[in-house]
Amino acid sequence: MYLLRKLTFYLAALWAAVTLNFLIPRLLPGNPVDILISKLAQQGPVAPGTRDSLEMLLGSDTSESLWSQYVSYLGGLLKGDFGTSVTYFPAPVTDVIGQAIPWTLLLVGISTLLAFLLGVGLGAFAGWKRGTWVDSIIPATALLQSVPYFWLALVLVYFFAVNLGWFPLSGGYDVNSVSPGWSWEFIESAISYGTLPAITIVVSSIGGWLLGMRNMMVSTLSDDYVVTAEAKGLHPMRVMITYAARNAALPSVAGFAISLGFVVAGSIVTEQVFSYPGIGNAMLLAVSNNDYALMQGLFLVITIAVLVSNLLVDLFYGLIDPRTRTRN
């Protein structure tokens, strides 16, 4: 019953998200067909029937009712057809997403995992050493979280890419000397180009994990089971890790699982500053070009990732805390 209730809720949430995903781009001003026709007009005269053909191709035929467009949209989703991208015309949306999402998953995924592990580990230690000089460093790390992504990214670019030349200025890899593939030259180039954006994400997000874990750690240390473990004379490291940190980390684990869903969305500002070929960069291009199909495809992928992450968190908590399965 618990699993069925959760699945029903998330299926309803998915349907609502898909419906909003269909409606929101169509409420935006402008028309993707007009944008594409203007691009074609720069190369020569456009035939009179071109508009009708493009409207049918892009699924934005204004002669159809909104309900007919909605039914066609749902039918395309069930077939795995997200339409054709205006920005990358005539490439299908699935191809565009398929090319962009590995870059974002590697960059933002690894950066988020690294920030989580460092933040939770340092936060647990700072909470255990509350009131010492270690604990006094927390405000400085929390300050980093308030720094805007783009400002921190520009500062790092200025010092480490422009002045020192330690890292490339922008891009995902050296397009002039290597080709994408499973070669060491390409992997080395991708790591070199992705290091500075990854540092930006880690530095700007580690403060939140650290502060949250530190506060939970301080609260957990006053619980009876921790006090009892200390009274038994157990080793301090065992008390810190097995009793205190293990329970204090539960909210952080839930937050991390949810944040994994947003990894698919990428760090839009960071990718834009570094011209990184990920989902965030593709989304900005889709919005600027009124690319309905690409926007809908990207939003749908992000929505599914977030819903799946939340569902996994609910099921995980149902396993570790049976009380959640009986709550209304």
Side-chain angles (χ1 to χ4, degrees), residues 178-312:
V178 298
S179 300
W182 293 107
S183 63
W184 172 247
E185 290 77 11
F186 172 73
I187 295 175
E188 184 180 22
S189 178
I191 292 175
S192 176
Y193 276 78
T195 300
L196 204 55
I199 293 175
T200 303
I201 297 173
V202 170
V203 171
S204 58
S205 59
I206 191 175
W209 297 114
L210 201 157
L211 182 61
M213 183 61 184
R214 182 264 176 196
N215 292 338
M216 285 301 303
M217 191 71 174
V218 172
S219 176
T220 304
L221 289 176
S222 60
D223 290 340
D224 293 339
Y225 58 88
V226 177
V227 176
T228 303
E230 291 177 333
K232 287 181 178 180
L234 298 180
H235 194 278
M237 290 298 296
R238 183 182 178 185
V239 176
M240 182 184 74
I241 297 174
T242 307
Y243 289 86
R246 180 180 179 181
N247 292 278
L250 289 178
S252 296
V253 171
F256 174 68
I258 295 173
S259 69
L260 287 179
F262 292 98
V263 164
V264 180
S267 181
I268 297 177
V269 176
T270 303
E271 290 185 6
Q272 182 67 11
V273 171
F274 291 97
S275 298
Y276 199 78
I279 290 293
N281 194 41
M283 185 180 296
L284 285 175
L285 291 175
V287 172
S288 62
N289 291 311
N290 286 341
D291 192 343
Y292 290 173
L294 184 54
M295 278 191 287
Q296 289 173 331
L298 293 172
F299 290 153
L300 183 61
V301 170
I302 295 169
T303 299
I304 292 175
V306 173
L307 289 177
V308 169
S309 298
N310 279 271
L311 176 60
L312 292 177

